[in-house]
Amino acid sequence: MEDHIIQQPHTRKALIAMATGTGKTRTIIGLCYHLIQTNRFNRILFLVDRTLLGTQAINAFKDNKVVGLNTFADIYGVKELKHALPADETRLQFATVQAMVKRLFETDGDEAVPAVDQYDCIIIDEAHRGYLLDKEIDEEGLTFKNQQEYVSRYRMVLDYFDAYAIGLTATPALHTTEIFGKPVYTYSYREAVIDGYLIDHDPPYLIKTQLGSEGIKWKAGEKPTVFDAETNTLVELNELEDELQFDIEGFNKRVLSESFNRTVVQQLVKELDPDGDEKTLIFAATDEHADTIVSLLKEEFNAIGVSVPNDAIEKITGKSYNPQQLLTRYKNEKFPNIAVTVDLLTTGIDVPPICNIVFMRRVKSRILYEQMLGRATRRCDDIGKETFRIYDAVRLYEALEDYTQMKPVVVNPATTFEQLAAEIPRIDSDERARAQLDQIIAKMQRKKRRMTTDHEQRFMYNAGGKSPETLIQSLQQQPLAESMNQVAQLSTLWRYLDELKFEGTPVYVSHHADTFLAMETGYGIASKPADYLDSFAQFIRDNQNTLTALNVVCTRPAELDRRSLKELLIALAQKGYEPKTVQTAWKQARNEDIGADIISMIRTLAVGSALEPHEERIRKAVNKVRAMQTWNRTQQKWIDRFEKQLLAETVLQLEDLDRDPFTDAGGIRELNKIFNNQLGQVIQTINQNLYQQSA
């Protein structure tokens, strides 16, 4: 990877994209060591977006060995977040983006400003940060208003220093690649799962309730109740003139429903163990919602006779008392093993025992969704973690599938600023364009009346310095073409105005009773397991002759190697056919739970072979080798190791014996001596019989 970076001097920027849990921090520790040890760089600045991630990274540089028993911090000088300036001997300094911007651009005359050549390399951790539009509460040290501000701030730092820039991310976003270019190195989640470094997940479990499916509705004439946060009281409104309805996207933000939350929690307590080794992370909508979930969990566990230790269930948010201490306990101690959060644990937090992710809040960003899932992808062999589970109570899985697969043409231009602005370039008449522009201006006028000074400052930040009055005036008076062009350039302003919520926006309190309907498996591309299997079978038929690895599986399975299998699994995952999902659909649709692997299921659908359990099929194939002749004890030991490798990775070819985990024996050459020059025949016999029984 170092070669990838230093061979691009003309760009002076590089992006490294590695899936959450694949060791970005360890990779960068080794990279920093080699770049400094070889005198490629003299001093490196490591920028983070919040103190919590900075502390975690610093500890990693102190704990992970790079040479012998020495850590990076043992070998080179490291300055932590609290240090404003590096010493002469400092080779690595940590800082938050906020602190560095303040040192560079917001100091008074008495403070020393860092020189432009103080660092010759800058590393930006979590360079995507594209999900701040979903931020609900402030975390300590995370004070950016939105993605635009965060990116512009760290870009100011990059532009100030005469230094090479390296961005680290798990989920590259458009703004990330615009700054750093395309990744020089990419290692995806799916590749890491296939290689055995990360944990796969089961298909999501969808918790369906009556209110969640139909929404919460007040009829005309009814008197809804709202919660007044200032007085902490419930206030009854006047009779409604029109019907008022909220779908599940507004639950626990715009409308509070204890019945919905309790109904969901009543199902969760049947699935979770507050005294077990597996940890659970629940994403709530607001800090207050997190408190509600913690309370309901304790009540409902008690209702079914489950004793809950005092500190087993905790809220961990930016508003918790000492969130860093809570996080440390969550990571390193048995309790808490159920944590409820909002934003604090969405990214960069490493807690391997997390086996359950629960969504009780909606998010808009695919990046944030993947970061949330990333909290559970890490291996944890100590507790026998094989997969992790997703419980979705707010149809988030369904919502993001729609969000990423299509961009609907907006047919109602009055809904949001963004939708109105998006339609402008497609309007082909001046009359319609002027009407569209008038709607945008009218919506701004309504917002403007309720803006505070702070709102106006944020408006101006997103509007290129124009106040609401100035922007409205220019849109009204300048030529229509200029106004249309201006609207197209103000995308961040329209997003800000759509998300702007004023104090006093009512939060409705629902007393509607909810009812549990079902817990179903989500398949994304199909609503039922049988439909999912049908689409999988159709994919095999359509691609058997064009996808080389799939053709090998169907026609020449004895030739299947690691590279072909990995290529096939990545191709399947891109179409939504992950092995765990296919196995679950097979079990539900055909009532068969025999533990067959994805290769066997493909062959069953493609050529009609009988389905056998993974372990049984491999045992039969290896037994063919055992029956070839009388093997000595050393040879039997190696045959057992071949079987173990097949159980773990499904394939074993002769060339694999020159790779881990067989290199300790000297590879093919030495193993062939052990088998009296019969090694090739042994491997060939295994592969010829792996699928013979099901052919």
Side-chain angles (χ1 to χ4, degrees):
M1 187 188 304
E2 180 183 346
D3 291 340
H4 281 295
I5 292 176
I6 64 176
Q7 287 174 2
Q8 299 188 23
H10 60 287
T11 62
R12 292 178 59 81
K13 291 185 175 67
L15 183 64
I16 299 173
M18 297 176 64
T20 298
T22 55
K24 287 195 300 296
T25 302
R26 291 195 178 198
T27 299
I28 213 65
I29 291 172
L31 183 62
C32 286
Y33 172 76
H34 286 291
L35 291 173
I36 290 177
Q37 191 262 341
T38 58
N39 291 319
R40 178 66 177 86
F41 296 124
N42 181 60
R43 183 181 293 131
I44 297 174
L45 172 63
F46 196 105
L47 285 179
V48 296
D49 69 346
R50 51 181 161 157
T51 303
L52 199 62
L53 293 183
T55 301
Q56 183 169 278
I58 291 167
N59 290 337
F61 273 83
K62 289 180 177 179
D63 295 339
N64 288 280
K65 308 295 188 292
V66 291
V67 178
L69 297 177
N70 294 316
T71 68
F72 183 97
D74 293 331
I75 302 170
Y76 295 116
V78 174
K79 287 294 183 182
E80 301 188 16
L81 297 169
K82 61 186 177 182
H83 298 109
L85 295 172
D88 290 342
E89 68 275 10
T90 299
R91 307 306 294 273
L92 177 68
Q93 180 169 11
F94 288 85
T96 62
V97 174
Q98 302 92 311
M100 186 54 65
V101 169
K102 186 174 182 180
R103 291 170 202 166
L104 294 176
F105 306 109
E106 300 172 10
T107 58
D108 56 37
D110 297 331
E111 296 184 52
V113 177
V116 295
D117 62 350
Q118 184 161 275
Y119 310 100
D120 46 9
C121 179
I122 300 175
I123 296 172
I124 308 290
D125 195 19
E126 301 292 350
H128 49 275
R129 251 326 185 188
Y131 49 78
L132 285 170
L133 70 160
D134 288 291
K135 193 164 84 73
E136 296 296 336
I137 60 175
D138 286 333
E139 305 168 22
E140 182 181 0
L142 183 55
T143 57
F144 304 109
K145 295 191 293 291
N146 51 36
Q147 165 193 309
Q148 178 78 11
E149 182 181 15
Y150 172 64
V151 174
S152 66
R153 286 299 181 96
Y154 81 62
R155 197 162 192 170
M156 288 168 63
V157 176
L158 296 182
D159 291 341
Y160 178 86
F161 289 110
D162 181 19
Y164 199 101
I166 301 173
L168 302 180
T169 183
T171 46
L174 177 60
H175 62 269
T176 320
T177 55
E178 285 176 346
I179 294 173
F180 295 97
K182 297 294 184 182
V184 298
Y185 177 77
T186 300
Y187 191 56
S188 68
Y189 167 68
R190 181 48 48 188
E191 288 179 282
V193 169
I194 293 169
D195 291 340
Y197 296 120
L198 292 184
I199 297 295
D200 202 358
H201 63 79
D202 294 329
Y205 296 98
L206 312 179
I207 302 175
K208 296 193 172 183
T209 75
Q210 193 78 30
L211 292 180
S213 299
E214 298 178 359
I216 294 175
K217 181 191 300 183
W218 285 270
K219 298 178 181 178
E222 290 187 316
K223 296 180 178 180
T225 302
V226 298
F227 176 71
D228 187 337
E230 186 174 340
T231 61
N232 199 32
T233 59
L234 298 179
V235 179
E236 185 178 74
L237 300 182
N238 295 327
E239 293 182 358
L240 293 172
E241 295 182 3
D242 299 306
E243 182 181 276
L244 176 66
Q245 180 165 348
F246 295 97
D247 63 18
I248 200 167
E249 185 175 359
F251 283 21
N252 299 304
K253 293 181 181 179
R254 296 293 314 282
V255 57
L256 306 177
S257 171
E258 180 181 335
S259 184
F260 167 76
N261 287 303
R262 188 177 294 278
T263 302
V264 171
V265 168
Q266 285 172 345
Q267 301 309 310
L268 289 177
V269 298
K270 298 176 183 178
E271 307 291 332
L272 308 179
D273 180 3
D275 195 34
D277 293 326
E278 293 186 355
K279 289 185 180 285
T280 297
L281 184 57
I282 301 175
F283 290 102
T286 65
D287 192 75
E288 293 75 16
H289 184 216
D291 287 326
T292 299
I293 293 172
V294 169
S295 177
L296 290 175
L297 282 168
K298 292 179 178 179
E299 289 179 23
E300 294 303 327
F301 272 122
N302 183 64
I304 61 173
V306 176
S307 177
V308 180
N310 288 334
D311 51 356
I313 305 173
E314 295 277 7
K315 178 185 79 171
I316 308 179
T317 73
K319 295 184 179 180
S320 297
Y321 177 74
N322 201 340
Q324 177 63 65
Q325 184 183 66
L326 282 172
L327 178 59
T328 300
R329 284 176 42 213
Y330 184 54
K331 178 176 180 178
N332 299 314
E333 301 178 18
K334 181 179 177 66
F335 297 131
N337 82 344
I338 299 177
V340 185
T341 191
V342 180
D343 290 315
L344 191 60
L345 303 182
T346 54
T347 181
I349 305 301
D350 180 5
V351 185
I354 295 176
C355 297
N356 303 295
I357 297 288
V358 182
F359 291 115
M360 294 186 71
R361 67 170 285 197
R362 279 285 189 98
V363 295
K364 308 177 187 73
S365 168
R366 167 64 68 175
I367 292 176
L368 179 54
Y369 177 65
E370 292 176 356
Q371 288 285 329
M372 288 170 156
L373 292 183
R375 300 311 102 218
T377 59
R378 289 167 173 80
R379 289 178 53 167
C380 191
D381 297 338
D382 292 344
I383 65 172
K385 180 178 177 182
E386 296 181 356
T387 62
F388 70 92
R389 293 168 292 279
I390 304 166
Y391 297 94
D392 184 357
V394 292
R395 305 210 306 267
L396 175 59
Y397 181 79
E398 166 193 323
L400 286 180
E401 282 292 315
D402 292 341
Y403 182 81
T404 56
Q405 288 179 2
M406 63 179 183
K407 294 185 178 180
V409 178
V410 179
V411 296
N412 181 4
T415 46
T416 68
F417 282 98
E418 283 193 294
Q419 290 169 339
L420 286 167
E423 281 198 340
I424 285 280
R426 298 196 293 270
I427 294 176
D428 55 7
S429 75
D430 289 351
E431 183 180 353
R432 286 191 57 218
R434 175 53 66 185
Q436 191 92 337
L437 201 60
D438 288 345
Q439 290 185 65
I440 293 174
I441 293 171
K443 285 174 67 69
M444 274 197 290
Q445 293 282 17
R446 289 194 293 270
K447 289 273 188 180
K448 180 172 70 73
R449 295 189 190 103
R450 302 185 65 187
M451 285 185 182
T452 64
T453 301
D454 180 63
H455 293 145
E456 290 194 8
Q457 289 175 348
R458 296 190 180 194
F459 182 102
M460 293 173 68
Y461 177 85
N462 288 286
K466 292 182 180 293
S467 68
E469 294 83 359
T470 303
L471 179 59
I472 289 171
Q473 188 177 29
S474 65
L475 290 176
Q476 288 174 324
Q477 296 179 358
Q478 66 192 5
L480 179 60
E482 291 183 23
S483 294
M484 293 174 65
N485 184 57
Q486 190 171 19
V487 167
Q489 293 177 357
L490 293 174
S491 58
T492 57
L493 174 64
W494 309 134
R495 186 178 304 116
Y496 167 70
L497 290 176
D498 284 332
E499 293 169 1
L500 177 59
K501 294 179 175 62
F502 301 102
E503 289 185 11
T505 299
V507 176
Y508 293 84
V509 179
S510 163
H511 300 290
H512 301 74
D514 204 358
T515 304
F516 174 70
L517 298 179
M519 186 180 294
E520 300 176 352
T521 305
Y523 290 103
I525 58 178
S527 58
K528 297 179 180 178
D531 296 337
Y532 180 82
L533 281 186
D534 287 344
S535 68
F536 182 48
Q538 187 62 49
F539 174 83
I540 294 170
R541 290 191 292 270
D542 292 344
N543 294 275
Q544 182 176 337
N545 296 323
T546 57
L547 194 59
T548 303
L550 187 58
N551 185 265
V552 170
V553 168
C554 296
T555 61
R556 309 183 308 278
E559 300 176 16
L560 188 66
D561 56 20
R562 281 183 175 180
R563 180 177 178 180
S564 296
L565 179 59
K566 185 173 182 178
E567 174 191 327
L568 175 60
L569 293 177
I570 291 174
L572 292 177
Q574 289 174 343
K575 297 297 182 180
Y577 301 114
E578 288 89 351
K580 289 295 298 182
T581 307
V582 175
Q583 289 166 350
T584 302
W586 197 293
K587 176 182 176 181
Q588 294 180 349
R590 303 195 175 189
N591 200 26
E592 289 181 314
D593 186 20
I594 60 176
D597 58 41
I598 189 71
I599 305 304
S600 295
M601 287 186 283
I602 288 173
R603 286 182 54 78
T604 298
L605 293 172
V607 299
S609 60
L611 204 62
E612 284 186 296
H614 179 67
E615 293 82 358
E616 182 179 337
R617 178 172 55 78
I618 291 171
R619 178 179 55 79
K620 287 181 179 180
V622 177
N623 280 345
K624 291 288 184 179
V625 172
R626 294 190 175 107
M628 287 171 58
Q629 64 184 63
T630 301
W631 303 101
N632 64 40
R633 190 174 296 274
T634 300
Q635 291 166 335
Q636 290 175 14
K637 179 195 73 173
W638 280 105
I639 292 171
D640 291 343
R641 284 191 65 175
F642 296 160
E643 181 176 9
K644 183 178 179 181
Q645 180 67 10
L646 280 165
L647 289 170
E649 294 200 8
T650 305
V651 295
L652 180 66
Q653 296 291 351
L654 194 62
E655 59 267 23
D656 294 331
L657 303 182
D658 272 337
R659 307 186 184 105
D660 286 337
F662 299 104
T663 50
D664 61 344
I668 295 173
R669 184 173 180 178
E670 295 302 318
L671 284 172
N672 196 35
K673 292 179 183 178
I674 292 174
F675 281 93
N676 300 319
N677 297 319
Q678 293 180 283
L679 182 62
Q681 185 181 352
V682 167
I683 300 301
Q684 184 180 28
T685 299
I686 290 174
N687 284 316
Q688 287 177 341
N689 288 278
L690 268 176
Y691 298 96
Q692 189 176 39
Q693 299 298 323
S694 55

